[in-house]
Amino acid sequence: MDKARKLFIAGNWKMNKTVAEALDLVKSLKRDLADVLDVDIAVCPPFTALHPVGQLLDGTVVKLGGQDMYWDKFGAFTGEVNAAMLKDVLCTYVILGHSERRQFFGETNETVNKKTKAALAARLKPIVCVGEMLAERESNRTEAVVTDQVLNSLAGLKPEELLEVTVAYEPVWAIGTGKTATAQQAQEVHALIRRLLAQLSDAKTAARIRIQYGGSVKASNARELMGQPDVDGALVGGASLQARDFVEMIQNVRN
Ligand code: PEP
């Protein structure tokens, strides 16, 4: 695929996989994806599996990411982990502002912004998620919602910091539902996000930032979605839980 930016596919395992199951899965990924140098790849296991998975993946093409983090450096924040802890277990990336965190755990654009800045300060690369709910799309508020999320979640970042960020556009109605946005629907919002990134920095910087699509991406629809000019990869839930599905998807988007 002739792309302006290198594709980036990340698997979000959510609250799935024991340590043994996680190791099983990454052993297959490590073997089957060893020669994939033309697509950036990451997996984001639950916190409990990060350390052993990181050890197994160290030095391979499959990078590691956390699913969330807290912005403070240390202290009395029961249940939280910070950016340095994720770095310590060999994470390269961290997912921030996933719609499930926004919906069920009170995440806001302001907290995503604090987390994004803390991740960057620790040299972790944030994958910042945005996306509208079904009711918002049906009332023609997609543009307003995504604009608010992008501008406020990424407020105050310098251009060189924005270059370390991946934005994931994940329409909430498409996550885990089997309903994928059409390639045109995705491209429309991705183009909007790139204009917003230019507003936050400049056109040249915005042209280098990767924007992933997320929402029921699988091996059979990945190529069409990533064929869109502003779709630079995918954040994948369900189809990242089985090695065969994830590997097939990555192979399908290669040239
Ligand atoms: C996600 O969790 O980010 C996601 C896109 O899930 P799924 O691929 O299962 O829709």
Side-chain angles (χ1 to χ4, degrees), residues 12 14 98 100 170 174-177 214-217 235-239:
N12 173 15
K14 312 192 186 190
H98 190 279
E100 287 148 18
E170 301 204 300
I175 296 180
T177 58
S216 300
V217 181
L235 184 56
V236 184

Side-chain angles (χ1 to χ4, degrees), residues 21-243:
E21 290 165 349
L23 290 174
D24 238 30
L25 173 48
V26 290
K27 272 179 203 153
S28 303
L29 299 182
K30 192 174 154 176
R31 183 194 60 220
D32 297 343
L33 297 171
D35 67 334
V36 181
L37 301 175
D38 48 346
V39 177
D40 284 336
I41 303 164
V43 292
C44 304
F47 290 135
T48 46
L50 283 175
H51 183 253
V53 167
Q55 296 297 307
L56 196 67
L57 291 179
D58 193 19
T60 74
V61 299
V62 183
K63 303 301 175 200
L64 189 68
Q67 295 179 16
D68 189 24
M69 52 162 262
Y70 192 61
W71 59 80
D72 235 313
K73 286 205 173 78
F74 55 85
F77 301 105
T78 301
E80 297 294 326
V81 302
N82 64 29
M85 291 168 181
L86 294 182
K87 285 290 283 184
D88 187 41
V89 294
L90 307 181
C91 285
T92 301
Y93 298 98
V94 60
I95 299 172
L96 297 174
H98 190 279
S99 66
E100 287 148 18
R101 304 273 349 147
R102 291 178 187 264
Q103 266 183 290
F104 308 133
F105 302 102
E107 193 82 86
T108 64
N109 294 329
E110 289 65 39
T111 57
V112 174
N113 187 245
K114 286 185 181 186
K115 291 178 180 189
T116 303
K117 288 176 176 164
L120 289 166
R123 305 215 161 278
L124 264 181
K125 295 173 189 288
I127 300 172
V128 176
C129 304
V130 299
E132 80 286 0
M133 317 264 282
L134 182 60
E136 293 166 338
R137 176 161 283 265
E138 286 177 344
S139 56
N140 293 322
R141 287 169 54 220
T142 299
E143 184 169 339
V145 169
V146 171
T147 299
D148 179 52
Q149 289 174 333
V150 171
L151 295 183
N152 289 307
S153 299
L154 302 178
L157 268 62
K158 300 186 190 84
E160 62 269 26
E161 292 176 320
L162 280 171
L163 287 173
E164 299 299 314
V165 172
T166 298
V167 178
Y169 168 57
E170 301 204 300
V172 180
W173 48 271
I175 296 180
T177 58
K179 282 186 208 158
T180 320
T182 64
Q184 290 87 330
Q185 281 173 324
Q187 170 55 28
E188 222 171 81
V189 181
H190 281 233
L192 163 71
I193 293 171
R194 203 171 300 287
R195 289 197 297 276
L196 296 168
L197 291 170
Q199 209 173 300
L200 286 165
S201 56
D202 54 83
K204 220 169 143 189
T205 302
R208 292 174 56 197
I209 301 170
R210 291 188 289 200
I211 308 171
Q212 293 175 321
Y213 170 79
S216 300
V217 181
K218 43 187 188 278
S220 58
N221 59 21
R223 199 172 165 88
E224 193 193 353
L225 284 160
M226 281 167 239
Q228 300 301 306
D230 288 294
V231 180
D232 310 313
L235 184 56
V236 184
S240 71
L241 293 175
Q242 302 293 333

